[in-house]
Amino acid sequence: MYRKQTCGELRIANVGQQVTLAGWVQRVRKMGGLTFVDLRDRYGITQLVFDESDGNTALCDKANHLGREFVVQAIGTVRERASKNAKNPTGDIEIVVTELNVISSSEVPPFTIEDNTDGGDDLRMQYRYLDLRRSCVRKNLELRHKLAFEVRRYLDSQNFLEIETPMLIKSTPEGARDFVVPSRMNPGQFYALPQSPQQFKQLLMVAGMDRYFQIVKCFRDEDLRADRQPEFTQIDCEMSFIEQEDILEMFEGMSRHLFKALKGIDLPKLPRMTWADAMKYYGSDKPDTRFDMRFVELMDVMKGHGFGVFDSAAYIGGICAKGAATYTRKQLDQLTEFVKRPQIGAKGMVYARVEADGSVKSSVDKFYTQDVLQQLKAAMSAEPGDLILILSGDDAMKTRKQLCELRLEMGSQLGLRDKDKYSCLWVIDFPMYEWSDEEQRLMAMHHPFTSPKPEDIPLLDTDPASVRANAYDMVINGVEVGGGSIRIHDAKLQQKIFEILGFTPEQAQAKFGFLMNAFKFGAPPHGGLAYGLDRFVSLFAGLDSIRDCIAFPKNNQGRDVMLGAPGEIDQKQMDELQIKVDLKK
Amino acid sequence: MYRKQTCGELRIANVGQQVTLAGWVQRVRKMGGLTFVDLRDRYGITQLVFDESDGNTALCDKANHLGREFVVQAIGTVRERASKNAKNPTGDIEIVVTELNVISSSEVPPFTIEDNTDGGDDLRMQYRYLDLRRSCVRKNLELRHKLAFEVRRYLDSQNFLEIETPMLIKSTPEGARDFVVPSRMNPGQFYALPQSPQQFKQLLMVAGMDRYFQIVKCFRDEDLRADRQPEFTQIDCEMSFIEQEDILEMFEGMSRHLFKALKGIDLPKLPRMTWADAMKYYGSDKPDTRFDMRFVELMDVMKGHGFGVFDSAAYIGGICAKGAATYTRKQLDQLTEFVKRPQIGAKGMVYARVEADGSVKSSVDKFYTQDVLQQLKAAMSAEPGDLILILSGDDAMKTRKQLCELRLEMGSQLGLRDKDKYSCLWVIDFPMYEWSDEEQRLMAMHHPFTSPKPEDIPLLDTDPASVRANAYDMVINGVEVGGGSIRIHDAKLQQKIFEILGFTPEQAQAKFGFLMNAFKFGAPPHGGLAYGLDRFVSLFAGLDSIRDCIAFPKNNQGRDVMLGAPGEIDQKQMDELQIKVDLKK
């Protein structure tokens, strides 16, 4: 062992002790005859001191020639510091070094190894091994380790078995694109990498495994949006002989365990909100409930007073921003610009301020009497000093989504989205289907194995679009961290669902045959859910991007710039695989 | 919840209790007016009883119509059994059923769901979800879960961080073949699936992560030998600021923890054997030390007495099989046939029995005096009743490997390879290089980042083939369960090793450039090892094949017969990937 202690453990109680540390040189300062070296390892930073007046000039000289990020071993004695550093847990002491061994030298790193680094994103990704030395990045990985371990500890205590499912599986083109892997032993054939172990976990339930989980890599070959990675990690879970309530209880328990273990937070009982309510009050199936600012529908109040935009609207809805009546005209114009951006797509925004005297001043005063505006105030439960913002449109769902964006923006502007505050809930009763304009058919909102609510089964024949599913999402701070459903375990019902989705029996057999066959041999009632580990960790770490909790992430082009992956392969490899590159001109 | 109790938990103490169970029908027996149903779940089997004399004919009728593997829910009362079954933990009780609900029916399964099933290998793999219902298979997965969890518990307690490394990496054609993944976003380029996270874990050490581990899927596109899978799982570990001794201690500790936690065995201190001794005494770098039967070199004793085969041999070695003098001529002929099989390739075998009176009778008596045979007896430490078996050849290493096979065969025949007995050791001081006839150059025995023993570094220039590495394997019962090495952290030494391996600086840069670049910025001394999880579990479970501890294994053609993977993919997928299948005629 090159060290006997770490750079994070020495305290005032260790004064006088002979110690051996090893680590990286964070910085070197020469002050007169004294040289101070900050030595860093995973556990902290400890100050080394070299004193010329001790007579050992060779040693001091060696210290003075250390560069940033050199790896050294230092032997010396712990002594109390003259000027202590309260910000550093080891700040009360320093090491008077008697022996210094340079283990590895270092070129000057391309950016500073500090929380506030001077390195840009691209440079840090190219030298990710240096970026990971920064304590702010390392802490994310430590948190990830701890979170995954606590997940396992909880699920193990609940009799779950972690079972590995295969990575080289069969391509079933449905939903996102598969990554495929040519098979050399079976020329012309391909494996696919799993988008999720969905069908395997259901097979494991048929196999009687009862309570399964897996923390597992999944793959989706999608054009990468802001916070997606082609490979990502799921906490994948499934249980048998359960109903929806059992799943919600079990995984609420897991979240409670995690918040307690990682954050010391006692999570209250999770509220539940139907998907319909989430859309009605927040315009989103993943409402950020750290702040209220619920939508109020204003059709009754605002329609029919001669303001054409509202009079012709299919939906009018408002939010009340407490205390924001002080917003200037410029700020309000910026908000209008915000909702009119193509990504959001609103046509405009109406606002109304509640003055100190209780009167209401709106941007559409010429169409509305103070009497109607007072009705508006009452409907919005607005008080003096509040700002009411209203959107309208000819498609209720689209307008709600626009209002959702406005609500989130106001929440951010008013400082209501504190990263250290957590608001968790279950969103339940999702619809079974959503209409796809592209495919011109109903698509499974969750996936084709999701079971309908028993009371809605008759609607499958008459009005499938209105059927609700036994499906649920866990939402934290406006992020869907996990979701799942109770599955269908009845082959006939499954058949019917496939029909509604427009699969012929042959297509259903080709895509999901092995699962449907399995169901013929005694399928237990089962259901489960999956958490996105990357997002879950990001939330706990208060990160803006999942990238920062992944050791070696890919960029938006799906590239690992450090590795230079993907890359070209040898002709020999291509020949063995019996494939050819066939680039379009 | 469809159940309130499991099928494994009810005991005599529960008599009189109302219970609700759910599970699969193992079997139905009708005995007069009584119907007995064995109900099975993951936790055990509980007997249900239906009594016609209770007057509920409809209920009994329902029970009599249950088929094997139906999924049912049963509500009833626990009562003491008249005839108890001591083999079953629930065998003291049975459930007098008052309500029976059929949840799912089942077709007749294609094989019996019992430890001694009538299903052949192929059928069981095709219906793996039914095979997994057999308790002997399920137990392997339970053991696997437990082993993985205890590995994590141990390593977490030792401050290791589990860090996920990427699955979509860059192909570096060296060693085994990579599986590759065409990139749609980067046409003409490919990712590779990792054969191991070797370079990533070294980068993590450069990144200061200090103690890393990961239980991770790895991939090798090799022609599958008996006990290989194209995807397999490694327990991958690496540490910084350590020497070989630290690694051996740490992972000996892990094995001790696992044997205690999983088997209740207190593992003794692991003996260490040099690679040279392992080859000399066992003809293998993974000796099965459950039994002794060490090789004795017999050149001095047996050479030069006129027996041409021995006189011209470069190596003569024997083993002494205690008490096997009773072997018949037929048995000895079979052993001779065994060593002459092409897989082993010996030319013949010489044997010698030690008779009750101490005299020695050999198959080559005409060439040797009793005096010489007595010297043989003494050299072999043979006693009356023992059988001496001797092989010779013109290549010492090859002959030792043949003798190794003979030794293992004799161990098996004499019942010395008990699966419930464990003999663990470290094999150390592996050679750095082995000569490749195919490549006509020295190849890294472990991998090109392995560091030479410091005292052997001068030999790199003069006799590289004799240089020993800081490399080690953990061997249990003749199986290499893990192996690793101390890595080179010095760029100049690494450069030299690459030269000896015949890489030009350009080739080295192309293959390992990102790692070599990383080493320029302060690399700590580091090393590690990797265990094959599949083999490790197989050993603990006493399995002959790793397949039985994998939920969904592939067959020898790399196929998953249940999924039908690999398979053809759509032309659309191929077009998007801009590749073509190019089958050789």
Side-chain angles (χ1 to χ4, degrees), chain B residues 482-503:
Chain B
S485 66
I486 302 300
R487 327 299 180 187
I488 296 166
H489 65 275
D490 177 80
K492 285 203 201 81
L493 181 57
Q494 185 67 67
Q495 192 64 50
K496 181 167 204 124
I497 298 295
F498 283 146
E499 276 167 31
I500 295 170
L501 291 172
F503 296 145

Side-chain angles (χ1 to χ4, degrees), chain A residues 280-282 291-298 315-327 332 335 349-355 360 373-391 403-404 406-412 414 416:
Chain A
K280 184 173 172 188
Y281 295 119
Y282 300 94
F291 63 108
D292 197 23
M293 216 186 277
R294 286 188 169 208
F295 297 1
V296 177
E297 214 178 291
L298 297 169
Y315 175 85
I316 310 169
I319 54 175
C320 175
K322 305 301 287 179
T326 52
Y327 262 50
L332 290 163
L335 283 181
M349 183 188 80
V350 168
Y351 62 85
R353 290 192 188 92
V354 184
E355 306 287 342
V360 177
L373 293 175
Q374 287 297 321
Q375 287 173 43
L376 168 67
K377 183 175 92 173
M380 299 300 304
S381 308
E383 295 170 321
D386 291 353
L387 176 68
I388 297 165
L389 301 173
I390 304 173
L391 297 185
L403 192 55
C404 170
L406 180 61
R407 176 181 174 272
L408 292 175
E409 175 63 20
M410 287 308 295
S412 296
L414 298 174
L416 302 172

Side-chain angles (χ1 to χ4, degrees), chain A residues 510-522:
Chain A
K511 278 175 207 278
F512 312 112
F514 61 94
L515 187 57
M516 288 167 71
N517 289 342
F519 279 10
K520 291 178 190 158
F521 295 97

Side-chain angles (χ1 to χ4, degrees), chain B residues 281 291-295 319-322 407 410-411 414 416:
Chain B
Y281 295 119
F291 64 108
D292 197 23
M293 216 186 277
R294 285 186 169 213
F295 298 0
I319 53 175
C320 175
K322 304 301 287 179
R407 176 182 174 272
M410 287 307 295
L414 297 173
L416 302 173

Side-chain angles (χ1 to χ4, degrees), chain A residues 49-156:
Chain A
V49 60
F50 301 80
D51 190 345
E52 271 182 21
S53 66
D54 289 348
N56 195 337
T57 28
L59 185 65
C60 292
D61 199 45
K62 209 171 184 182
N64 288 326
H65 282 88
L66 292 176
R68 277 164 51 208
E69 302 306 317
F70 276 41
V71 179
V72 303
Q73 180 191 50
I75 302 173
T77 309
V78 184
R79 83 170 173 207
E80 186 169 0
R81 270 205 223 178
S83 69
K84 300 192 171 53
N85 177 354
K87 283 187 201 151
N88 186 347
T90 68
D92 287 350
I93 58 96
E94 62 194 0
I95 313 299
V96 183
V97 177
T98 52
E99 186 182 333
L100 178 71
N101 299 308
V102 175
I103 297 172
S104 304
S105 62
S106 172
E107 293 184 6
V108 175
F111 50 85
T112 56
I113 311 297
E114 282 169 3
D115 286 4
N116 282 315
T117 182
D118 58 358
D121 247 28
D122 290 350
L123 199 63
R124 292 194 296 110
M125 286 302 144
Q126 192 186 339
Y127 294 89
R128 182 65 167 173
Y129 44 86
L130 297 180
D131 194 32
L132 291 173
R133 286 186 191 165
R134 297 163 60 226
S135 71
C136 57
V137 183
R138 192 193 64 237
K139 277 183 184 140
N140 296 334
L141 297 189
E142 288 173 345
L143 182 74
R144 188 183 179 107
H145 160 76
K146 192 159 185 212
L147 189 139
F149 188 65
E150 292 299 335
V151 165
R152 289 187 163 103
R153 199 201 295 272
Y154 176 81
L155 292 174
D156 179 73

Side-chain angles (χ1 to χ4, degrees), chain A residues 462-533:
Chain A
T462 55
D463 183 14
S466 75
V467 175
R468 293 166 306 159
N470 275 325
Y472 33 79
D473 277 357
M474 185 182 278
V475 174
I476 305 182
N477 294 1
V479 176
E480 177 215 323
V481 291
S485 66
I486 301 301
R487 326 300 181 188
I488 297 166
H489 65 275
D490 177 79
K492 284 203 201 83
L493 180 58
Q494 185 68 67
Q495 191 64 49
K496 180 167 204 124
I497 299 295
F498 283 146
E499 277 167 31
I500 294 170
L501 291 172
F503 296 146
T504 64
E506 293 69 32
Q507 285 170 331
Q509 187 64 33
K511 278 175 207 278
F512 312 112
F514 61 94
L515 187 57
M516 288 167 71
N517 289 342
F519 279 10
K520 291 178 190 158
F521 295 97
H526 62 288
L529 85 181
Y531 287 88
L533 178 67

Side-chain angles (χ1 to χ4, degrees), chain B residues 137-343:
Chain B
V137 183
R138 192 194 62 239
K139 276 182 184 138
N140 297 333
L141 297 190
E142 288 172 347
L143 182 75
R144 188 182 180 109
H145 161 76
K146 192 160 185 209
L147 190 139
F149 188 65
E150 292 299 335
V151 165
R152 290 189 163 103
R153 199 201 295 273
Y154 176 81
L155 292 175
D156 179 73
S157 78
Q158 299 291 328
N159 260 323
F160 281 76
L161 295 175
E162 184 161 23
I163 300 175
E164 295 172 61
T165 54
M167 292 278 130
L168 296 172
I169 65 164
K170 193 183 177 181
S171 188
T172 52
E174 168 74 8
R177 263 186 223 95
D178 285 326
F179 281 105
V180 298
V181 181
S183 166
R184 181 181 54 85
M185 299 227 283
N186 304 275
Q189 300 195 330
F190 295 75
Y191 300 100
L193 300 178
Q195 296 185 28
S196 93
Q198 182 62 37
Q199 297 184 53
F200 291 100
K201 68 178 176 178
Q202 293 195 242
L203 287 174
L204 287 172
M205 294 304 106
V206 175
M209 290 300 164
D210 210 76
R211 294 184 169 197
Y212 144 92
F213 84 102
Q214 190 183 190
I215 300 185
V216 60
K217 276 280 172 77
C218 300
F219 303 86
R220 262 176 224 173
D221 184 13
E222 288 179 296
D223 297 324
L224 300 176
R225 283 183 272 150
D227 217 17
R228 289 268 178 115
Q229 289 279 318
E231 53 178 302
F232 55 97
T233 307
Q234 267 187 209
I235 307 169
D236 193 48
C237 310
E238 196 83 1
M239 295 173 80
S240 287
F241 298 116
I242 46 74
E243 291 161 298
Q244 176 168 311
E245 190 58 33
D246 303 304
I247 302 265
L248 300 188
E249 289 276 322
M250 178 62 73
F251 290 95
E252 192 166 326
M254 186 172 98
S255 299
R256 192 164 289 118
H257 174 78
L258 294 176
F259 271 95
K260 189 69 188 175
L262 300 176
K263 289 281 185 186
I265 293 173
D266 287 301
L267 208 63
K269 175 113 191 97
L270 263 61
R272 298 180 188 181
M273 192 183 292
T274 63
W275 178 86
D277 277 355
M279 297 311 295
K280 183 172 173 191
Y281 295 119
Y282 299 94
S284 167
D285 55 7
K286 38 180 193 283
D288 185 345
T289 51
R290 278 174 296 187
F291 64 108
D292 197 23
M293 216 186 277
R294 285 186 169 213
F295 298 0
V296 176
E297 212 176 292
L298 298 168
M299 297 284 278
D300 291 348
V301 182
M302 302 300 279
K303 213 168 175 166
H305 298 277
F307 178 43
V309 173
F310 282 1
D311 288 353
S312 66
Y315 175 85
I316 310 170
I319 53 175
C320 175
K322 304 301 287 179
T326 52
Y327 261 51
T328 61
R329 178 62 193 256
K330 191 180 166 198
Q331 284 175 299
L332 290 163
D333 285 348
Q334 281 167 349
L335 282 181
T336 305
E337 287 315 305
F338 172 82
V339 297
K340 286 168 80 175
R341 290 186 315 163
Q343 304 96 303

